[in-house]
Amino acid sequence: MAVWTTFWSYFWGTLTVVPFLGFPLVYLSVYMWKRNKRLAGRWAVNITNFLVIRSAVSAYELIWPEAMSAWWWVSCFFLGAVVLLGWLQVKLKGKLSLKKVGFSAWRLSFLWFGLVYIVLFTTGIIKTMGVV
């Protein structure tokens, strides 16, 4: 039992440090299971998005441990993105589809938190190098 606990601990730790490694793992797993490239791609992007958000939050909390929780920033991003995309959709199309707005905010968050993760990862390395 201790072997599995250690394995899962290292596995999740690796996915926290390198969240983009989750994309090929999920893609290959879902493709082998369902034999559908499109479905595998969707699953891989969604799971990788969760991993990237979790990694960005972890990096933020390691760099600034006494700062406000990063989950507040994540919540504010999603709230702001949904409001802005909803307003934009009403202006352009004249009607609001929360499903499309939510989907767009989720996909936009993949790009945003991917960039935030890279910046925080680099900041963490620079900060650590400054201490040494």
Side-chain angles (χ1 to χ4, degrees):
M1 191 66 175
V3 173
W4 281 108
T5 306
T6 305
F7 171 77
W8 284 113
S9 174
Y10 281 113
F11 179 71
W12 288 115
T14 302
L15 287 179
T16 298
V17 175
V18 189
F20 299 108
L21 183 64
F23 187 89
L25 291 174
V26 173
Y27 182 85
L28 291 173
S29 299
V30 174
Y31 181 72
M32 299 276 275
W33 179 38
K34 295 286 189 176
R35 299 283 184 209
N36 185 339
K37 289 182 181 180
R38 197 168 179 186
L39 182 66
R42 274 192 243 136
W43 270 79
V45 168
N46 288 332
I47 298 298
T48 305
N49 197 7
F50 278 119
L51 293 172
V52 168
I53 291 170
R54 190 177 115 219
S55 297
V57 167
S58 296
Y60 178 86
E61 289 174 352
L62 283 172
I63 295 170
W64 298 290
E66 65 280 344
M68 183 173 66
S69 174
W71 290 109
W72 285 106
W73 295 112
V74 172
S75 300
C76 287
F77 168 79
F78 278 113
L79 186 61
V82 166
V83 167
L84 183 64
L85 290 170
W87 175 79
L88 195 61
Q89 189 180 56
V90 168
K91 284 289 185 188
L92 294 176
K93 300 227 177 190
K95 62 180 182 174
L96 178 65
S97 171
L98 286 177
K99 182 178 178 182
K100 288 183 180 181
V101 167
F103 182 76
S104 297
W106 180 249
R107 291 293 186 214
L108 186 63
S109 74
F110 181 76
L111 296 173
W112 173 249
F113 285 110
L115 178 68
V116 167
Y117 169 73
I118 292 168
V119 168
L120 288 174
F121 190 78
T122 307
T123 303
I125 290 173
I126 292 170
K127 186 177 177 184
T128 304
M129 295 295 278
V131 171
V132 173

